[in-house]
Short mmCIF file of all heavy atoms in Angstrom, two decimals:
data_model
loop_
_atom_site.label_atom_id
_atom_site.label_comp_id
_atom_site.label_asym_id
_atom_site.label_seq_id
_atom_site.Cartn_x
_atom_site.Cartn_y
_atom_site.Cartn_z
N MET A 298 -2.86 -10.68 -3.66
CA MET A 298 -1.99 -10.27 -2.58
C MET A 298 -2.17 -8.78 -2.31
O MET A 298 -2.10 -7.99 -3.25
CB MET A 298 -0.51 -10.63 -2.96
CG MET A 298 0.46 -10.46 -1.82
SD MET A 298 2.04 -11.15 -2.38
CE MET A 298 2.74 -11.39 -0.82
N ALA A 299 -2.42 -8.36 -1.12
CA ALA A 299 -2.68 -6.96 -0.84
C ALA A 299 -1.44 -6.23 -0.31
O ALA A 299 -0.60 -6.82 0.36
CB ALA A 299 -3.77 -6.86 0.27
N PHE A 300 -1.32 -5.00 -0.70
CA PHE A 300 -0.25 -4.12 -0.29
C PHE A 300 -0.79 -2.77 0.03
O PHE A 300 -2.00 -2.49 -0.20
CB PHE A 300 0.80 -3.90 -1.45
CG PHE A 300 1.57 -5.16 -1.78
CD1 PHE A 300 1.15 -5.99 -2.83
CD2 PHE A 300 2.68 -5.48 -1.07
CE1 PHE A 300 1.86 -7.11 -3.14
CE2 PHE A 300 3.42 -6.60 -1.36
CZ PHE A 300 3.01 -7.45 -2.38
N TRP A 301 -0.02 -1.85 0.54
CA TRP A 301 -0.42 -0.49 0.85
C TRP A 301 0.56 0.42 0.12
O TRP A 301 1.79 0.20 0.16
CB TRP A 301 -0.44 -0.21 2.34
CG TRP A 301 -1.55 -0.92 2.99
CD1 TRP A 301 -1.55 -2.19 3.50
CD2 TRP A 301 -2.89 -0.43 3.19
NE1 TRP A 301 -2.79 -2.50 4.01
CE2 TRP A 301 -3.60 -1.45 3.83
CE3 TRP A 301 -3.49 0.75 2.93
CZ2 TRP A 301 -4.94 -1.26 4.22
CZ3 TRP A 301 -4.81 0.94 3.28
CH2 TRP A 301 -5.55 -0.11 3.92
N ILE A 302 0.06 1.49 -0.48
CA ILE A 302 0.91 2.52 -1.11
C ILE A 302 0.61 3.80 -0.36
O ILE A 302 -0.52 4.20 -0.09
CB ILE A 302 0.52 2.72 -2.59
CG1 ILE A 302 0.79 1.40 -3.36
CG2 ILE A 302 1.33 3.87 -3.19
CD1 ILE A 302 0.38 1.43 -4.77
N ALA A 303 1.71 4.50 0.04
CA ALA A 303 1.54 5.71 0.79
C ALA A 303 2.56 6.78 0.32
O ALA A 303 3.73 6.46 0.05
CB ALA A 303 1.78 5.49 2.27
N ARG A 304 2.09 8.01 0.16
CA ARG A 304 2.94 9.07 -0.24
C ARG A 304 3.25 9.95 0.93
O ARG A 304 2.28 10.45 1.64
CB ARG A 304 2.30 9.89 -1.36
CG ARG A 304 3.27 10.95 -1.98
CD ARG A 304 2.63 11.69 -3.12
NE ARG A 304 2.28 10.81 -4.24
CZ ARG A 304 3.13 10.42 -5.20
NH1 ARG A 304 4.38 10.84 -5.19
NH2 ARG A 304 2.73 9.66 -6.18
N ASP A 305 4.49 10.24 1.22
CA ASP A 305 4.83 11.15 2.31
C ASP A 305 4.52 12.55 1.94
O ASP A 305 4.28 12.93 0.77
CB ASP A 305 6.37 11.08 2.61
CG ASP A 305 6.74 9.74 3.21
OD1 ASP A 305 5.91 8.99 3.71
OD2 ASP A 305 7.96 9.47 3.23
N LYS A 306 4.55 13.47 2.89
CA LYS A 306 4.22 14.86 2.67
C LYS A 306 5.18 15.49 1.68
O LYS A 306 4.85 16.39 0.94
CB LYS A 306 4.22 15.65 3.96
CG LYS A 306 3.48 16.99 3.95
CD LYS A 306 3.35 17.54 5.33
CE LYS A 306 2.40 18.69 5.34
NZ LYS A 306 2.13 19.18 6.66
N ASP A 307 6.46 15.05 1.67
CA ASP A 307 7.43 15.58 0.75
C ASP A 307 7.38 14.97 -0.68
O ASP A 307 8.20 15.26 -1.53
CB ASP A 307 8.84 15.46 1.32
CG ASP A 307 9.36 14.02 1.42
OD1 ASP A 307 8.58 13.09 1.09
OD2 ASP A 307 10.48 13.83 1.92
N GLY A 308 6.42 14.09 -0.91
CA GLY A 308 6.23 13.51 -2.21
C GLY A 308 6.81 12.16 -2.47
O GLY A 308 6.51 11.50 -3.47
N GLU A 309 7.63 11.65 -1.52
CA GLU A 309 8.18 10.31 -1.70
C GLU A 309 7.05 9.28 -1.56
O GLU A 309 6.11 9.46 -0.78
CB GLU A 309 9.23 10.02 -0.61
CG GLU A 309 10.44 10.91 -0.68
CD GLU A 309 11.35 10.70 -1.89
OE1 GLU A 309 11.28 9.62 -2.49
OE2 GLU A 309 12.03 11.65 -2.24
N ILE A 310 7.11 8.21 -2.30
CA ILE A 310 6.05 7.22 -2.29
C ILE A 310 6.65 5.83 -2.04
O ILE A 310 7.71 5.49 -2.61
CB ILE A 310 5.20 7.26 -3.59
CG1 ILE A 310 3.95 6.40 -3.50
CG2 ILE A 310 6.02 7.01 -4.82
CD1 ILE A 310 2.91 6.69 -4.58
N PHE A 311 5.97 5.05 -1.21
CA PHE A 311 6.46 3.77 -0.77
C PHE A 311 5.42 2.66 -0.83
O PHE A 311 4.20 2.95 -0.70
CB PHE A 311 6.99 3.85 0.68
CG PHE A 311 8.14 4.77 0.85
CD1 PHE A 311 7.90 6.07 1.18
CD2 PHE A 311 9.44 4.35 0.72
CE1 PHE A 311 8.94 7.00 1.35
CE2 PHE A 311 10.47 5.22 0.89
CZ PHE A 311 10.26 6.57 1.22
N LEU A 312 5.85 1.45 -0.96
CA LEU A 312 5.00 0.26 -1.00
C LEU A 312 5.23 -0.44 0.32
O LEU A 312 6.39 -0.70 0.73
CB LEU A 312 5.38 -0.63 -2.17
CG LEU A 312 4.55 -1.90 -2.37
CD1 LEU A 312 3.14 -1.54 -2.78
CD2 LEU A 312 5.22 -2.79 -3.41
N TYR A 313 4.14 -0.78 1.01
CA TYR A 313 4.20 -1.44 2.32
C TYR A 313 3.44 -2.81 2.28
O TYR A 313 2.53 -2.94 1.49
CB TYR A 313 3.54 -0.59 3.45
CG TYR A 313 4.25 0.68 3.73
CD1 TYR A 313 3.96 1.81 3.06
CD2 TYR A 313 5.19 0.73 4.75
CE1 TYR A 313 4.57 3.02 3.34
CE2 TYR A 313 5.82 1.90 5.06
CZ TYR A 313 5.50 3.06 4.35
OH TYR A 313 6.18 4.24 4.66
N THR A 314 3.80 -3.71 3.14
CA THR A 314 3.13 -4.99 3.23
C THR A 314 2.01 -4.91 4.25
O THR A 314 1.11 -5.73 4.24
CB THR A 314 4.08 -6.13 3.65
OG1 THR A 314 4.72 -5.78 4.85
CG2 THR A 314 5.11 -6.38 2.53
N ARG A 315 2.07 -3.94 5.15
CA ARG A 315 0.99 -3.66 6.11
C ARG A 315 0.65 -2.17 6.08
O ARG A 315 1.46 -1.35 5.66
CB ARG A 315 1.45 -4.08 7.54
CG ARG A 315 1.61 -5.59 7.64
CD ARG A 315 1.80 -5.97 9.05
NE ARG A 315 3.16 -5.77 9.50
CZ ARG A 315 3.65 -6.05 10.71
NH1 ARG A 315 2.86 -6.56 11.61
NH2 ARG A 315 4.92 -5.84 10.98
N LYS A 316 -0.56 -1.83 6.51
CA LYS A 316 -1.00 -0.44 6.47
C LYS A 316 -0.07 0.38 7.38
O LYS A 316 0.08 0.16 8.55
CB LYS A 316 -2.43 -0.35 6.99
CG LYS A 316 -3.00 1.06 6.86
CD LYS A 316 -4.47 1.09 7.27
CE LYS A 316 -5.02 2.48 7.10
NZ LYS A 316 -6.44 2.55 7.48
N PRO A 317 0.48 1.46 6.75
CA PRO A 317 1.40 2.33 7.51
C PRO A 317 0.60 3.34 8.42
O PRO A 317 -0.59 3.56 8.16
CB PRO A 317 2.18 3.07 6.45
CG PRO A 317 1.23 3.08 5.27
CD PRO A 317 0.49 1.80 5.34
N VAL A 318 1.30 3.89 9.37
CA VAL A 318 0.72 4.82 10.30
C VAL A 318 1.34 6.23 10.02
O VAL A 318 2.53 6.31 9.84
CB VAL A 318 1.02 4.39 11.78
CG1 VAL A 318 0.41 5.39 12.74
CG2 VAL A 318 0.45 2.99 12.04
N ARG A 319 0.48 7.23 9.96
CA ARG A 319 0.94 8.56 9.64
C ARG A 319 1.41 9.24 10.96
O ARG A 319 0.73 9.16 11.96
CB ARG A 319 -0.19 9.40 9.02
CG ARG A 319 0.25 10.79 8.65
CD ARG A 319 -0.96 11.62 8.24
NE ARG A 319 -1.68 11.03 7.14
CZ ARG A 319 -2.04 11.67 6.06
NH1 ARG A 319 -1.75 12.93 5.90
NH2 ARG A 319 -2.75 11.04 5.13
N PHE A 320 2.55 9.90 10.90
CA PHE A 320 3.07 10.68 12.06
C PHE A 320 3.21 12.12 11.65
O PHE A 320 4.22 12.55 11.12
CB PHE A 320 4.41 10.13 12.52
CG PHE A 320 4.27 8.83 13.31
CD1 PHE A 320 4.46 7.62 12.69
CD2 PHE A 320 3.92 8.86 14.65
CE1 PHE A 320 4.36 6.45 13.39
CE2 PHE A 320 3.77 7.67 15.36
CZ PHE A 320 4.00 6.45 14.75
N GLU A 321 2.16 12.92 11.90
CA GLU A 321 2.16 14.32 11.51
C GLU A 321 3.30 15.10 12.18
O GLU A 321 3.96 15.92 11.57
CB GLU A 321 0.82 14.95 11.91
CG GLU A 321 -0.41 14.38 11.23
CD GLU A 321 -0.66 15.02 9.89
OE1 GLU A 321 -0.07 16.04 9.52
OE2 GLU A 321 -1.52 14.44 9.15
N GLU A 322 3.52 14.81 13.47
CA GLU A 322 4.51 15.60 14.23
C GLU A 322 5.96 15.31 13.81
O GLU A 322 6.87 16.06 14.14
CB GLU A 322 4.36 15.31 15.73
CG GLU A 322 4.61 13.86 16.18
CD GLU A 322 3.37 12.93 16.00
OE1 GLU A 322 2.30 13.36 15.57
OE2 GLU A 322 3.54 11.72 16.32
N ASP A 323 6.17 14.25 13.09
CA ASP A 323 7.52 13.94 12.58
C ASP A 323 7.72 14.40 11.16
O ASP A 323 8.43 13.75 10.33
CB ASP A 323 7.77 12.45 12.70
CG ASP A 323 7.92 11.96 14.08
OD1 ASP A 323 8.16 12.80 14.99
OD2 ASP A 323 7.79 10.72 14.36
N GLY A 324 7.11 15.49 10.80
CA GLY A 324 7.32 16.04 9.42
C GLY A 324 6.45 15.44 8.42
O GLY A 324 6.64 15.59 7.24
N GLY A 325 5.38 14.73 8.81
CA GLY A 325 4.42 14.17 7.89
C GLY A 325 4.86 12.92 7.20
O GLY A 325 4.42 12.65 6.10
N TYR A 326 5.77 12.11 7.79
CA TYR A 326 6.21 10.91 7.17
C TYR A 326 5.41 9.72 7.69
O TYR A 326 4.73 9.82 8.68
CB TYR A 326 7.68 10.64 7.47
CG TYR A 326 8.53 11.69 6.82
CD1 TYR A 326 9.02 12.80 7.50
CD2 TYR A 326 8.86 11.61 5.48
CE1 TYR A 326 9.81 13.77 6.91
CE2 TYR A 326 9.66 12.58 4.83
CZ TYR A 326 10.07 13.62 5.55
OH TYR A 326 10.86 14.57 4.95
N PHE A 327 5.48 8.68 6.99
CA PHE A 327 4.76 7.44 7.35
C PHE A 327 5.71 6.55 8.09
O PHE A 327 6.91 6.55 7.83
CB PHE A 327 4.20 6.74 6.10
CG PHE A 327 2.98 7.36 5.57
CD1 PHE A 327 3.12 8.44 4.64
CD2 PHE A 327 1.76 6.98 5.92
CE1 PHE A 327 1.99 9.02 4.17
CE2 PHE A 327 0.61 7.58 5.43
CZ PHE A 327 0.71 8.58 4.53
N ASN A 328 5.19 5.76 8.92
CA ASN A 328 5.91 4.74 9.63
C ASN A 328 5.01 3.56 9.68
O ASN A 328 3.80 3.65 9.63
CB ASN A 328 6.31 5.25 11.04
CG ASN A 328 7.40 4.37 11.63
OD1 ASN A 328 7.87 3.45 11.05
ND2 ASN A 328 7.76 4.74 12.85
N ALA A 329 5.55 2.39 9.79
CA ALA A 329 4.77 1.17 9.84
C ALA A 329 5.37 0.16 10.77
O ALA A 329 6.53 0.28 11.19
CB ALA A 329 4.65 0.56 8.45
N PRO A 330 4.58 -0.87 11.13
CA PRO A 330 5.12 -1.89 11.99
C PRO A 330 6.31 -2.60 11.32
O PRO A 330 7.09 -3.22 11.94
CB PRO A 330 3.95 -2.86 12.14
CG PRO A 330 2.80 -2.07 11.86
CD PRO A 330 3.16 -1.05 10.89
N CYS A 331 6.38 -2.40 10.02
CA CYS A 331 7.53 -2.96 9.30
C CYS A 331 8.06 -1.85 8.38
O CYS A 331 7.33 -0.89 8.13
CB CYS A 331 7.17 -4.17 8.44
SG CYS A 331 5.85 -3.79 7.28
N ASN A 332 9.27 -1.94 7.93
CA ASN A 332 9.83 -0.96 7.05
C ASN A 332 9.14 -1.05 5.65
O ASN A 332 8.58 -2.09 5.30
CB ASN A 332 11.35 -1.19 6.81
CG ASN A 332 12.08 -0.83 8.09
OD1 ASN A 332 11.71 0.07 8.85
ND2 ASN A 332 13.17 -1.55 8.37
N PRO A 333 9.20 0.01 4.83
CA PRO A 333 8.62 -0.07 3.52
C PRO A 333 9.28 -1.21 2.77
O PRO A 333 10.49 -1.45 2.86
CB PRO A 333 9.01 1.27 2.87
CG PRO A 333 9.37 2.16 4.00
CD PRO A 333 9.84 1.27 5.13
N LEU A 334 8.47 -1.88 1.96
CA LEU A 334 8.97 -2.92 1.10
C LEU A 334 9.80 -2.40 0.00
O LEU A 334 10.82 -2.92 -0.36
CB LEU A 334 7.76 -3.72 0.53
CG LEU A 334 8.09 -4.90 -0.36
CD1 LEU A 334 8.84 -5.99 0.41
CD2 LEU A 334 6.82 -5.47 -0.88
N LYS A 335 9.35 -1.20 -0.58
CA LYS A 335 10.05 -0.66 -1.76
C LYS A 335 9.70 0.80 -1.87
O LYS A 335 8.58 1.21 -1.69
CB LYS A 335 9.61 -1.38 -3.01
CG LYS A 335 10.23 -0.81 -4.29
CD LYS A 335 10.66 -1.87 -5.20
CE LYS A 335 11.27 -1.36 -6.47
NZ LYS A 335 12.54 -0.80 -6.37
N LYS A 336 10.76 1.63 -2.16
CA LYS A 336 10.54 2.99 -2.51
C LYS A 336 10.25 3.01 -3.98
O LYS A 336 10.92 2.39 -4.78
CB LYS A 336 11.81 3.77 -2.17
CG LYS A 336 11.66 5.29 -2.46
CD LYS A 336 12.86 6.00 -2.06
CE LYS A 336 12.76 7.50 -2.40
NZ LYS A 336 13.95 8.26 -1.97
N LEU A 337 9.22 3.77 -4.37
CA LEU A 337 8.78 3.88 -5.77
C LEU A 337 9.23 5.20 -6.33
O LEU A 337 9.57 6.13 -5.58
CB LEU A 337 7.27 3.70 -5.87
CG LEU A 337 6.69 2.45 -5.25
CD1 LEU A 337 5.19 2.52 -5.22
CD2 LEU A 337 7.19 1.21 -5.96
N GLU A 338 9.25 5.30 -7.64
CA GLU A 338 9.49 6.55 -8.32
C GLU A 338 8.44 7.58 -7.91
O GLU A 338 7.24 7.24 -7.82
CB GLU A 338 9.56 6.37 -9.83
CG GLU A 338 10.60 5.53 -10.35
CD GLU A 338 11.99 6.06 -10.18
OE1 GLU A 338 12.12 7.33 -10.30
OE2 GLU A 338 12.94 5.33 -9.83
N LYS A 339 8.82 8.83 -7.68
CA LYS A 339 7.90 9.88 -7.22
C LYS A 339 6.74 10.04 -8.21
O LYS A 339 5.63 10.37 -7.84
CB LYS A 339 8.62 11.22 -7.10
CG LYS A 339 9.29 11.43 -5.78
CD LYS A 339 9.76 12.86 -5.63
CE LYS A 339 10.29 13.12 -4.26
NZ LYS A 339 10.60 14.52 -4.03
N GLU A 340 7.02 9.80 -9.53
CA GLU A 340 5.98 9.88 -10.52
C GLU A 340 4.99 8.75 -10.51
O GLU A 340 3.92 8.85 -11.19
CB GLU A 340 6.64 9.98 -11.94
CG GLU A 340 7.55 11.22 -12.09
CD GLU A 340 8.90 11.04 -11.48
OE1 GLU A 340 9.39 9.92 -11.25
OE2 GLU A 340 9.52 12.05 -11.14
N SER A 341 5.29 7.67 -9.83
CA SER A 341 4.40 6.52 -9.73
C SER A 341 3.14 6.96 -9.03
O SER A 341 3.15 7.64 -8.05
CB SER A 341 5.06 5.41 -9.04
OG SER A 341 6.23 4.98 -9.64
N PHE A 342 2.01 6.40 -9.50
CA PHE A 342 0.70 6.52 -8.87
C PHE A 342 0.35 7.99 -8.52
O PHE A 342 0.21 8.36 -7.35
CB PHE A 342 0.65 5.68 -7.62
CG PHE A 342 0.91 4.22 -7.86
CD1 PHE A 342 2.18 3.69 -7.64
CD2 PHE A 342 -0.04 3.39 -8.43
CE1 PHE A 342 2.45 2.37 -7.89
CE2 PHE A 342 0.24 2.07 -8.65
CZ PHE A 342 1.46 1.54 -8.38
N PRO A 343 0.25 8.86 -9.52
CA PRO A 343 -0.06 10.25 -9.25
C PRO A 343 -1.39 10.52 -8.53
O PRO A 343 -1.50 11.51 -7.87
CB PRO A 343 -0.11 10.89 -10.67
CG PRO A 343 -0.28 9.77 -11.59
CD PRO A 343 0.30 8.53 -11.00
N ALA A 344 -2.30 9.54 -8.60
CA ALA A 344 -3.54 9.65 -7.89
C ALA A 344 -3.38 9.45 -6.40
O ALA A 344 -4.28 9.82 -5.59
CB ALA A 344 -4.58 8.67 -8.43
N VAL A 345 -2.27 8.90 -5.93
CA VAL A 345 -2.03 8.68 -4.51
C VAL A 345 -1.30 9.95 -3.98
O VAL A 345 -0.21 10.25 -4.41
CB VAL A 345 -1.13 7.45 -4.25
CG1 VAL A 345 -0.87 7.27 -2.74
CG2 VAL A 345 -1.85 6.20 -4.78
N THR A 346 -1.97 10.69 -3.13
CA THR A 346 -1.46 11.93 -2.58
C THR A 346 -1.25 11.79 -1.07
O THR A 346 -1.71 10.85 -0.45
CB THR A 346 -2.43 13.08 -2.91
OG1 THR A 346 -3.60 12.86 -2.17
CG2 THR A 346 -2.66 13.23 -4.42
N TRP A 347 -0.61 12.79 -0.52
CA TRP A 347 -0.46 12.86 0.95
C TRP A 347 -1.85 12.87 1.59
O TRP A 347 -2.08 12.21 2.57
CB TRP A 347 0.33 14.10 1.34
CG TRP A 347 0.20 14.51 2.76
CD1 TRP A 347 -0.43 15.61 3.23
CD2 TRP A 347 0.72 13.84 3.90
NE1 TRP A 347 -0.36 15.66 4.61
CE2 TRP A 347 0.37 14.59 5.03
CE3 TRP A 347 1.46 12.69 4.13
CZ2 TRP A 347 0.70 14.21 6.31
CZ3 TRP A 347 1.82 12.32 5.42
CH2 TRP A 347 1.43 13.06 6.49
N GLU A 348 -2.78 13.63 0.98
CA GLU A 348 -4.05 13.79 1.56
C GLU A 348 -4.90 12.51 1.57
O GLU A 348 -5.73 12.30 2.46
CB GLU A 348 -4.83 14.91 0.83
CG GLU A 348 -4.27 16.29 1.05
CD GLU A 348 -3.01 16.58 0.24
OE1 GLU A 348 -2.70 15.85 -0.75
OE2 GLU A 348 -2.33 17.56 0.63
N ASN A 349 -4.71 11.62 0.55
CA ASN A 349 -5.58 10.41 0.49
C ASN A 349 -4.78 9.14 0.79
O ASN A 349 -5.27 8.03 0.62
CB ASN A 349 -6.29 10.31 -0.86
CG ASN A 349 -5.39 10.09 -2.05
OD1 ASN A 349 -4.20 9.73 -1.88
ND2 ASN A 349 -5.91 10.30 -3.20
N SER A 350 -3.55 9.29 1.32
CA SER A 350 -2.76 8.12 1.66
C SER A 350 -3.06 7.66 3.09
O SER A 350 -3.47 8.49 3.90
CB SER A 350 -1.27 8.44 1.61
OG SER A 350 -0.87 8.56 0.26
N PRO A 351 -2.85 6.42 3.39
CA PRO A 351 -2.45 5.29 2.53
C PRO A 351 -3.60 4.71 1.73
O PRO A 351 -4.74 4.89 2.18
CB PRO A 351 -1.82 4.31 3.44
CG PRO A 351 -2.59 4.49 4.72
CD PRO A 351 -2.90 5.96 4.82
N GLN A 352 -3.31 4.04 0.66
CA GLN A 352 -4.31 3.39 -0.16
C GLN A 352 -3.94 1.91 -0.30
O GLN A 352 -2.80 1.60 -0.53
CB GLN A 352 -4.46 4.03 -1.51
CG GLN A 352 -5.03 5.42 -1.42
CD GLN A 352 -5.43 5.93 -2.78
OE1 GLN A 352 -5.66 5.18 -3.72
NE2 GLN A 352 -5.51 7.25 -2.89
N GLU A 353 -4.91 1.10 -0.17
CA GLU A 353 -4.73 -0.37 -0.39
C GLU A 353 -4.59 -0.64 -1.88
O GLU A 353 -5.30 -0.10 -2.69
CB GLU A 353 -5.86 -1.16 0.25
CG GLU A 353 -5.55 -2.63 0.35
CD GLU A 353 -6.59 -3.40 1.16
OE1 GLU A 353 -7.65 -2.85 1.48
OE2 GLU A 353 -6.35 -4.57 1.49
N ALA A 354 -3.66 -1.52 -2.20
CA ALA A 354 -3.47 -1.95 -3.61
C ALA A 354 -3.40 -3.47 -3.64
O ALA A 354 -3.04 -4.11 -2.67
CB ALA A 354 -2.17 -1.33 -4.12
N GLU A 355 -3.70 -4.02 -4.78
CA GLU A 355 -3.67 -5.48 -4.90
C GLU A 355 -2.68 -5.78 -6.05
O GLU A 355 -2.78 -5.22 -7.17
CB GLU A 355 -5.03 -6.00 -5.24
CG GLU A 355 -5.09 -7.51 -5.22
CD GLU A 355 -6.53 -8.00 -5.36
OE1 GLU A 355 -7.42 -7.31 -4.88
OE2 GLU A 355 -6.68 -9.12 -5.90
N LEU A 356 -1.82 -6.73 -5.87
CA LEU A 356 -0.93 -7.21 -6.87
C LEU A 356 -1.61 -8.36 -7.65
O LEU A 356 -2.07 -9.31 -7.04
CB LEU A 356 0.38 -7.77 -6.27
CG LEU A 356 1.38 -8.43 -7.21
CD1 LEU A 356 1.90 -7.40 -8.21
CD2 LEU A 356 2.53 -9.03 -6.44
N ILE A 357 -1.73 -8.23 -8.96
CA ILE A 357 -2.29 -9.21 -9.81
C ILE A 357 -1.25 -9.67 -10.80
O ILE A 357 -0.69 -8.85 -11.53
CB ILE A 357 -3.55 -8.68 -10.54
CG1 ILE A 357 -4.60 -8.22 -9.48
CG2 ILE A 357 -4.11 -9.70 -11.44
CD1 ILE A 357 -5.74 -7.45 -10.12
N ILE A 358 -1.00 -10.96 -10.87
CA ILE A 358 -0.08 -11.53 -11.82
C ILE A 358 -0.91 -12.07 -12.98
O ILE A 358 -1.77 -12.96 -12.84
CB ILE A 358 0.75 -12.64 -11.19
CG1 ILE A 358 1.56 -12.03 -10.05
CG2 ILE A 358 1.65 -13.28 -12.21
CD1 ILE A 358 2.36 -13.03 -9.20
N LYS A 359 -0.63 -11.54 -14.17
CA LYS A 359 -1.36 -11.94 -15.37
C LYS A 359 -0.59 -13.01 -16.09
O LYS A 359 0.64 -12.90 -16.22
CB LYS A 359 -1.60 -10.77 -16.28
CG LYS A 359 -2.54 -9.71 -15.69
CD LYS A 359 -2.73 -8.58 -16.72
CE LYS A 359 -3.65 -7.56 -16.16
NZ LYS A 359 -3.92 -6.47 -17.18
N LYS A 360 -1.29 -13.99 -16.59
CA LYS A 360 -0.66 -15.02 -17.44
C LYS A 360 -0.64 -14.53 -18.87
O LYS A 360 -1.66 -14.02 -19.30
CB LYS A 360 -1.37 -16.33 -17.29
CG LYS A 360 -1.28 -16.96 -15.90
CD LYS A 360 -1.99 -18.26 -15.89
CE LYS A 360 -1.89 -18.86 -14.47
NZ LYS A 360 -2.53 -20.17 -14.36
N ASN A 361 0.46 -14.69 -19.54
CA ASN A 361 0.53 -14.29 -20.96
C ASN A 361 -0.15 -15.24 -21.86
O ASN A 361 -0.23 -16.36 -21.74
CB ASN A 361 2.00 -14.13 -21.37
CG ASN A 361 2.66 -12.97 -20.66
OD1 ASN A 361 1.94 -12.05 -20.27
ND2 ASN A 361 3.95 -12.98 -20.52
#
């Protein structure tokens, strides 16, 4: 299952079900055809930055 992770210019990070669109003129926040699925802890995914967002991510469910 594919998701998108995007970090706003102020460091907030969100999980989306569809690729978000960047709006530079609105303070560097992301917007998407749908609202973010989940706000994540700012410390989550340190490799995801404002400069390289959004990034596609895949959810994998592992069997124990």
Side-chain angles (χ1 to χ4, degrees):
M298 188 171 201
F300 293 95
W301 289 87
I302 299 174
R304 188 176 300 274
D305 290 345
K306 199 170 191 175
D307 67 0
E309 298 291 337
I310 189 164
F311 297 91
L312 182 69
Y313 294 88
T314 56
R315 292 191 278 182
K316 186 176 181 179
V318 178
R319 184 189 302 230
F320 285 98
E321 298 273 349
E322 63 277 357
D323 289 342
Y326 294 98
F327 284 86
N328 196 359
C331 59
N332 290 327
L334 181 63
K335 176 137 180 75
K336 181 177 178 180
L337 305 172
E338 295 292 323
K339 277 189 172 185
E340 297 79 23
S341 302
F342 304 99
V345 178
T346 65
W347 162 251
E348 291 77 17
N349 67 15
S350 288
Q352 291 191 22
E353 191 171 13
E355 187 172 331
L356 175 65
I357 299 171
I358 299 173
K359 294 182 178 182
K360 294 182 181 181
N361 291 335

